[in-house]
Amino acid sequence: MNSSKITNNFIIELNNLAKYFKDVKAVDGISLKIPRGELFSILGPNGAGKTTLIRMLTTILTPTSGEAILNGYDIRREKNEIVKLIGICPQEIVIYNVLSAEENVEFVARMHNISKEEAKKKTREILDKFGIAGLKKSTKTFSGGMKRRLNLAMSLVHNPKILFLDEPTAGLDPQARRIVWDFISELKNKDVTILLMTHDMVEADALSDHIAIIDQGKVIAQGTPSELKERYGSDNVLEVKFFKNEEMEMLKKIIDQKDMSFIAECNVLGERKLLIPFQGGLKNLEKLLHLITESLDDVENMKFRQNSLEDVFLNLTGRRLRDK
Amino acid sequence: MKLLESKPVIIAMNSLKYKIRNWQYPVFSLGFPVMFTLLFYFFLGRDSFSLGFPGMVIYATSVGTVSAAISFSSEKASGMMERLDAMPIGRRNIFLGALISETVVMAIQILIMFLLGYVILQVSFKGFFELFIGFIVALLFGISSVGIGIIIAGLAKTVEVANAISLFYYLPVLFLSGSLYPFESFIVYFTPPFWAKQVYLQITVLGHGLFDNLYSSSFIYPGGSAEMIPIPLWGGIIILFGFTISFVILGIFIFQKKTKF
């Protein structure tokens, strides 16, 4: 791989990058700097512009305006150099379904100018790592998890410098998801910069060094997972489900009136569900529970948990990540 | 060996593997030409059918339009084209690879038609050398059909639309060319199958040896208005070449432009 034009410590630099489809601003002036060797997540709901961004950075889509530099190469003018240093794992499973896993991966390796012998060797190694080596049958017979792993293996066989992962665990069962996560974590130590597009806050929280939260084509916040939670959330959250909507409205009003400084602004989560973020530990939880029992006879159920990126997104946009 | 290591050849080999394992489509796309060959053979009788069989060979190669349109638009729809775009390949190599694999499939289909016509049904022909030249002519026309298929795939948004447009193109054009059934109109001269069939017919059935054919002053045509065209055989070959090269170049151009976002 001769693509080694290096300008500074940032392997990806986006400057006001935008893509418009007629009147729709899919990506609306995103500026980011991603350090070499990091796992950087772009977290946002469906339709936030994640896939459009990835398609621009992988040279498939031409930006409407702005600039994107990958390892010193401009995505508009130096496409040929960029495609040599990237690997992409698309959101959909894109494989030749009548070919075997080996044939699929070997084909990708050959397309990256790897000799036949070397391609075979690398294919065996990577399929072995993903637990799908030695399967001669066509991928038609593979389970969803196996196909997903093959999809990822195809993006890695040529040792890319930058790896784009677009919702790599979408539709996977927890066990298969864990395998993919473990592999992604392993990659972090191998001089690969990973740009992970996801709407799964648990995934982003577990894997990322830095996160940019995007909504409607714009970056609305960025930082490390803990920085984001600290900046845009509280320590803990009490999720309360009421029997009636009126009870919820009443408690919300009481909390607002009492002006309890340790409680942040409450968020209504759909029907009869209230999210109460608060600072501090047991003492404050006790005060909060006392307030609830004073005001209401009972509630349907309650969940006490730590603040998450989902809450950060909710605080920033007033919507949940999974909402349309 | 270097050629075998080139990207278009690797893409073609991959695509051929895919086609062989999806053998139903290439086999059944020959279903109609084979059926019409048998029907015409029994209607016309063996002697008259020797003039009709070249039209069947051209019909069989026209199917390349549908096959290429479906195969390219499927790659677009599955996201594979985008995946290939993000690799150091280049659209021209993808196009060439696909063209090579479609041409190999086409060659096999022509050989199957030859087996049916010349071996099983004993259709008469001038000689093996003439038949070989006929094979090349049919293949050349087949490549132009693939070019049109790729143009259609470039323009169509879905596999279903590509399939519909390709059927909508190739069947009317085939009938308008008079290749399946005599059609006396000036329109025939604007259709590639007409030239492919006439050249093929003259070389394999009507002419008196290839060199005689090349120097004869006009197409030999058993009746009909084509008798009036004073174009020699080589003129017809040039026209066929012209169609093929134009469709392939236009195919590359549209494939590169229209399938980009």
Side-chain angles (χ1 to χ4, degrees):
Chain A
M1 200 170 288
N2 59 359
S3 297
S4 53
K5 188 172 165 182
I6 296 168
T7 49
N8 56 39
N9 192 38
F10 296 107
I11 195 160
I12 300 174
E13 291 177 75
L14 312 183
N15 189 11
N16 232 357
L17 194 68
K19 180 71 188 178
Y20 302 155
F21 297 103
K22 292 183 183 159
D23 296 335
V24 179
K25 293 175 177 179
V27 171
D28 192 11
I30 286 185
S31 297
L32 282 175
K33 283 187 174 185
I34 299 173
R36 215 166 279 280
E38 269 213 357
L39 195 152
F40 194 101
S41 289
I42 306 279
L43 182 67
N46 292 332
K50 301 188 298 290
T51 301
T52 305
L53 179 62
I54 225 173
R55 288 170 81 202
M56 281 194 282
L57 299 183
T58 52
T59 75
I60 292 163
L61 262 179
T62 310
T64 307
S65 61
E67 185 188 49
I69 307 290
L70 272 70
N71 206 41
Y73 297 111
D74 187 307
I75 58 162
R76 287 173 197 270
R77 294 190 301 272
E78 292 162 297
K79 180 191 160 158
N80 292 345
E81 292 305 320
I82 286 171
V83 290
K84 286 180 199 165
L85 58 94
I86 61 170
I88 174 169
C89 178
Q91 189 174 351
E92 303 81 23
I93 293 167
V94 182
I95 55 179
Y96 290 107
N97 61 10
V98 294
L99 303 187
S100 69
E102 271 181 30
E103 285 167 332
N104 268 291
V105 178
E106 205 181 308
F107 173 70
V108 175
R110 300 297 310 278
M111 290 299 106
H112 280 92
N113 304 319
I114 297 172
S115 71
K116 198 172 180 175
E117 290 70 32
E118 187 67 12
K120 278 190 185 302
K121 195 176 139 225
K122 279 177 174 285
T123 299
R124 270 195 302 273
E125 279 171 11
I126 198 140
L127 290 181
D128 199 33
K129 194 157 266 180
F130 277 100
I132 44 175
L135 301 170
K136 297 283 178 203
K137 57 189 176 181
S138 89
T139 54
K140 244 188 224 171
T141 58
F142 278 23
S143 67
M146 287 161 86
K147 282 182 184 170
R148 192 52 79 185
R149 277 180 273 160
L150 173 61
N151 205 30
L152 184 55
M154 284 166 78
S155 63
L156 284 166
V157 66
H158 57 291
N159 298 330
K161 273 190 191 300
I162 305 170
L163 178 63
F164 295 97
L165 303 176
D166 194 1
E167 311 274 5
T169 56
L172 286 187
D173 61 62
Q175 195 189 1
R177 194 158 86 134
R178 174 56 60 190
I179 294 174
V180 174
W181 281 9
D182 287 347
F183 195 80
I184 294 172
S185 306
E186 216 179 288
L187 278 174
K188 278 171 71 176
N189 309 318
K190 288 187 178 164
D191 195 30
V192 185
T193 306
I194 303 171
L195 193 61
L196 171 69
M197 307 286 172
T198 184
H199 69 264
D200 182 337
M201 66 274 174
V202 181
E203 183 167 274
D205 205 353
L207 298 171
S208 319
D209 296 310
H210 277 92
I211 296 172
I213 298 179
I214 68 168
D215 189 37
Q216 294 173 354
K218 284 183 171 152
V219 174
I220 53 172
Q222 62 170 307
T224 64
S226 49
E227 273 170 11
L228 285 171
K229 282 186 271 187
E230 205 174 304
R231 212 182 308 153
Y232 301 102
S234 50
D235 296 339
N236 300 298
V237 176
L238 189 69
E239 230 178 274
V240 188
K241 191 165 184 191
F242 301 86
F243 290 112
K244 290 178 188 162
N245 244 346
E246 297 80 60
E247 291 173 349
M248 180 179 76
E249 292 300 332
M250 187 183 78
L251 186 71
K252 195 167 179 286
K253 213 179 229 176
I254 292 169
I255 291 172
D256 290 344
Q257 281 166 357
K258 291 255 178 193
D259 195 24
M260 297 165 98
S261 59
F262 66 93
I263 300 178
E265 197 179 338
C266 299
N267 287 300
V268 177
L269 270 188
E271 278 283 287
R272 296 179 286 125
K273 212 176 202 181
L274 190 67
L275 213 70
I276 312 169
F278 65 96
Q279 301 291 349
L282 272 176
K283 282 240 171 339
N284 287 345
L285 176 64
E286 197 186 349
K287 280 185 204 164
L288 186 56
L289 290 173
H290 184 69
L291 179 75
I292 295 171
T293 48
E294 243 182 11
S295 325
L296 297 165
D297 290 338
D298 205 356
V299 292
E300 192 172 316
N301 61 51
M302 273 194 297
K303 194 160 85 181
F304 171 64
R305 60 173 171 79
Q306 219 182 357
N307 178 31
S308 72
L309 286 172
E310 173 92 49
D311 303 311
V312 172
F313 187 79
L314 189 67
N315 284 335
L316 286 165
T317 64
R319 286 177 292 121
R320 296 183 82 177
L321 266 167
R322 280 179 289 263
D323 290 346
K324 274 268 175 187
Chain B
M1 281 311 279
K2 260 223 151 129
L3 184 71
L4 290 177
E5 296 288 300
S6 69
K7 284 182 184 170
V9 173
I10 298 171
I11 293 169
M13 299 288 275
N14 197 55
S15 172
L16 277 172
K17 266 190 218 168
Y18 194 89
K19 286 185 167 67
I20 289 166
R21 289 175 205 177
N22 259 333
W23 56 269
Q24 291 96 333
Y25 187 74
V27 168
F28 286 104
S29 64
L30 267 187
F32 272 105
V34 166
M35 186 183 76
F36 275 110
T37 301
L38 294 172
L39 284 175
F40 276 80
Y41 178 80
F42 290 115
F43 285 149
L44 299 173
R46 202 176 83 186
D47 292 340
S48 306
F49 186 61
S50 61
L51 294 173
F53 184 65
M56 293 299 133
V57 173
I58 298 308
Y59 176 22
T61 45
S62 294
V63 172
T65 300
V66 186
S67 152
I70 290 177
S71 121
F72 265 77
S73 50
S74 302
E75 288 223 344
K76 254 170 69 180
S78 70
M80 189 51 87
M81 203 62 82
E82 274 199 23
R83 188 155 207 168
L84 295 177
D85 268 342
M87 294 180 202
I89 306 173
R91 276 290 172 98
R92 203 187 51 184
N93 285 336
I94 298 173
F95 180 90
L96 287 174
L99 192 66
I100 294 168
S101 77
E102 292 289 344
T103 306
V104 171
V105 171
M106 184 80 63
I108 295 168
Q109 289 184 327
I110 296 171
L111 288 174
I112 292 171
M113 286 300 285
F114 277 19
L115 187 76
L116 174 70
Y118 300 118
V119 178
I120 298 172
L121 301 178
Q122 300 278 301
V123 172
S124 57
F125 58 95
K126 285 283 170 195
F128 284 105
F129 179 66
E130 281 80 3
L131 205 55
F132 173 70
I133 301 296
F135 174 82
I136 302 290
V137 168
L139 201 59
L140 189 66
F141 171 68
I143 294 171
S144 83
S145 301
V146 170
I148 294 167
I150 294 169
I151 293 170
I152 292 169
L155 298 170
K157 295 253 187 250
T158 64
V159 182
E160 292 76 17
V161 172
N163 186 23
I165 298 176
S166 56
L167 284 172
F168 195 71
Y169 162 81
Y170 105 98
L171 278 175
V173 167
L174 204 62
F175 277 101
L176 289 175
S177 72
S179 300
L180 283 182
Y181 197 80
F183 181 55
E184 290 194 21
S185 164
F186 71 95
I187 293 171
V188 296
Y189 307 129
F190 298 100
T191 62
F194 168 78
W195 298 102
K197 188 211 166 175
Q198 294 312 317
V199 171
Y200 184 93
L201 183 70
Q202 188 152 339
I203 291 171
T204 62
V205 184
L206 297 174
H208 302 283
L210 186 65
F211 292 102
D212 236 30
N213 268 328
L214 285 174
Y215 291 108
S216 66
S217 59
S218 66
F219 270 112
I220 306 166
Y221 196 77
S225 55
E227 229 176 0
M228 311 295 286
I229 349 165
I231 293 177
L233 183 72
W234 56 263
I237 293 174
I238 287 173
I239 291 172
L240 190 58
F241 254 112
F243 271 125
T244 306
I245 289 168
S246 312
F247 289 141
V248 169
I249 290 174
L250 196 64
I252 293 178
F253 180 76
I254 290 180
F255 181 61
Q256 284 184 327
K257 291 278 168 202
K258 282 282 176 184
T259 52
K260 276 286 182 190
F261 302 92

